[in-house]
Amino acid sequence: MTSHPLEWPELRWTLRDPVAAMGHVQMVFRLGCGPAGPDTPRRPLTEVLEIRE
């Protein structure tokens, strides 16, 4: 789900239902997967987890 593009009035107008005379789009659902992005760097587990025995 995304609502960020709908914060711009110009984009909100293009997404409206052309049959309806009133109303605004409140949320956009994206189905499927986009292109794979780069891997994000991860901290070593020992920096974020302390195991006590």
Side-chain angles (χ1 to χ4, degrees):
M1 296 185 295
T2 180
S3 61
H4 188 76
L6 302 176
E7 295 175 9
W8 294 78
E10 299 84 15
L11 294 177
R12 194 179 315 125
W13 174 257
T14 62
L15 292 173
R16 70 173 177 71
D17 182 0
V19 177
M22 300 175 64
H24 295 285
V25 175
Q26 300 294 318
M27 186 67 66
V28 175
F29 288 94
R30 178 180 176 179
L31 302 175
C33 298
D39 291 339
T40 56
R42 302 286 185 208
R43 294 187 345 201
L45 185 60
T46 55
E47 284 187 25
V48 296
L49 181 65
E50 180 179 319
I51 299 175
R52 297 181 186 199
E53 293 182 23

